[in-house]
Amino acid sequence: MHASRDPTEDHRSLFSLPPGALYLNTASDGPRLHAVLQAARDAINHSTMPWRLDMAGWTARIERVRTLASRLFDGDAGGVALVPSAGYGLSTAARNVPLWPGQAVLVLEGQFPSNLLPWQRRCREVGAQLVAVPRIPGIDWTEAVLATLHRNKDIRILALPHAYWHDGALLDLDRISEAARERGASLVLDLSQSLGVLPADVARWQPEFAVAVGHKWLLGGSGLAYLWAAPQWRAEGEPLEQNWIARTGRDDWRFPPDAPPPYLDGARRYDAGGVADPLRLAMAEAALAQVLSWQALPLSEALGKRTAALRTALDNRGLGDWLADGHAPHLCGVRPPGDRLAAVAGVLEEAGVIVTVRHGLVRIAPHLHVEARDMVRVADLMARAA
């Protein structure tokens, strides 16, 4: 009798990947969907006749993309802005969330620069301090964050991810957000390595802002990210830039010289100029529609089967200690002994396995184009290098 086939493996045909390559690098750039490629081709073809793109059709697509993205947060399209990058969105947060001299911003040691650099600058501007939570062996990020928050009474803002970008280590944002509220501290989230796979419970976490790029787990193109703003920041926040697209006068181009027209409703005030171009919007709309269709699997469980298959295969080859516990279902880091890292990386590259090797880790980030047997093959290659 044959083993039953994992039904999520049937989604492999939705992706466009060259033969002979095993792409495990979604955490850097998502694999391309056929539907997204077709949307991009159509947009490029239409761009040869720009006079046929009317304002109403263009703004309607902007709002469709906004609405789709909002379903990954709280379902309110008025809470989402379209911005070019995580760094842009987090710089918007850093500009708005109150921070005073002597207060502190908490980040993780080695945190991705998009959620570090804006806070470094803000702290320098106001005379606040940056507190980096160290990675301590045997203590997970959640406990380390809570311990640091308990010790340092000056912490006013916690700027954190849901899944750590190096190795997918998960943070318990339920516990962290509760502790932050008890202290009267604000939470700002970079969900670039989780949104689309892990639920973003903004109603429970109550962040001030949350952002995610569109080209990783959301499978769209580069240059378009989604900034979610809490209700109070939809009415009073200050955007990074002043542009016509975020103003009520944009339809007839009448901007009086004595005073600007009001901002559009909600988080639309943070919309960045230039990001809502037809190509990026078309790719984003197709990608978000597909990602949302997978929420019923759920996607986290489906991708968790891939990383679980890798863990089992490594265990069976005596390499189980290479893969740490506590990682996200879709993202993990394999840490070979230091003297074998180069060999492991070389064997994978020679076999056409695309990963990121950084900071002593081989980062594994599969999507639904990957099957469990592919992960067994990866474990075989690593065992060969070991």
Side-chain angles (χ1 to χ4, degrees):
M1 178 177 292
H2 296 289
S4 60
R5 178 178 172 83
D6 180 352
T8 64
E9 293 181 353
D10 295 333
H11 295 284
R12 187 172 188 149
S13 62
L14 298 175
F15 294 87
S16 176
L17 288 165
L22 176 56
Y23 189 76
L24 299 176
N25 209 19
T26 307
S28 280
D29 204 3
R32 191 66 75 222
L33 291 160
H34 286 298
V36 173
L37 280 176
Q38 187 57 54
R41 294 188 191 102
D42 292 344
I44 291 172
N45 288 338
H46 292 159
S47 72
T48 64
M49 297 176 287
W51 59 88
R52 297 185 65 179
L53 179 64
D54 65 345
M55 186 72 172
W58 180 56
T59 55
R61 172 160 264 174
I62 292 173
E63 291 307 312
R64 289 200 302 272
V65 170
R66 194 190 312 275
T67 299
L68 289 170
S70 74
R71 290 172 57 189
L72 295 166
F73 294 102
D74 60 359
D76 184 353
V80 175
L82 306 185
V83 296
S85 65
Y88 187 104
L90 292 160
S91 294
T92 301
R95 177 170 184 162
N96 283 280
V97 180
L99 184 67
W100 305 106
Q103 294 182 331
V105 178
L106 179 149
V107 299
L108 302 183
E109 188 177 77
Q111 186 157 288
F112 195 77
S114 294
N115 203 13
L116 171 65
L117 297 172
W119 303 110
Q120 289 176 328
R121 177 173 181 174
R122 185 62 175 156
C123 287
R124 187 168 60 249
E125 288 173 344
V126 304
Q129 63 173 319
L130 194 77
V131 176
V133 179
R135 190 79 180 264
I136 302 172
I139 300 178
D140 65 24
W141 279 125
T142 299
E143 298 301 333
V145 166
L146 293 175
T148 304
L149 182 62
H150 178 73
R151 287 194 305 269
N152 192 325
K153 304 303 182 183
D154 295 327
I155 292 171
R156 172 67 179 82
I157 298 171
L158 292 81
L160 296 171
H162 193 183
Y164 191 58
W165 69 291
H166 286 179
D167 56 6
L170 277 175
L171 282 79
D172 187 340
L173 293 181
D174 291 352
R175 294 177 61 197
I176 290 171
S177 62
E178 182 178 1
R181 284 193 299 273
E182 290 175 356
R183 281 280 307 279
S186 298
L187 188 63
V188 176
L189 299 175
D190 179 4
L191 303 180
S192 295
Q193 293 296 359
S194 58
L195 193 69
V197 179
L198 300 177
D201 194 350
V202 292
R204 179 167 184 171
W205 301 336
Q206 298 180 32
E208 308 289 331
F209 292 90
V211 69
V213 297
H215 67 275
K216 298 182 187 289
W217 300 97
L218 299 181
L219 304 181
S222 297
L224 184 58
Y226 308 102
L227 175 65
W228 180 90
Q232 66 268 28
W233 297 116
R234 303 174 196 179
E236 62 187 48
E238 183 70 21
L240 281 186
E241 63 176 89
Q242 300 300 318
N243 62 72
W244 63 271
I245 197 173
R247 299 282 184 169
T248 57
R250 68 184 189 179
D251 292 336
D252 60 6
W253 302 89
R254 294 185 181 180
F255 284 67
D258 55 336
Y263 291 114
L264 294 175
D265 291 338
R268 293 174 181 86
R269 66 175 56 222
Y270 304 113
D271 281 358
V275 300
D277 76 272
L279 176 60
R280 279 181 276 191
L281 289 171
M283 296 174 72
E285 184 175 8
L288 287 169
Q290 183 61 69
V291 169
L292 287 164
S293 77
W294 284 324
Q295 300 303 299
L297 289 176
L299 188 56
S300 59
E301 181 178 321
L303 295 180
K305 293 179 180 179
R306 275 75 176 163
T307 54
L310 176 64
R311 176 175 293 279
T312 298
L314 289 173
D315 283 339
N316 291 341
R317 289 151 184 78
L319 306 177
D321 60 344
W322 288 17
L323 183 58
D325 295 325
H327 62 80
H330 59 296
L331 176 60
C332 61
V334 178
R335 187 182 294 277
D339 62 346
R340 303 311 304 157
L341 178 62
V344 170
V347 167
L348 293 176
E349 182 178 7
E350 184 179 349
V353 180
I354 313 302
V355 296
T356 288
V357 180
R358 186 185 288 116
H359 305 303
L361 286 168
V362 179
R363 188 176 65 185
I364 307 293
H367 215 287
L368 289 180
H369 63 287
V370 177
E371 299 180 1
R373 62 186 176 186
D374 295 321
M375 306 305 275
V376 174
R377 176 180 167 227
V378 169
D380 284 335
L381 292 167
M382 290 182 173
R384 183 192 309 170

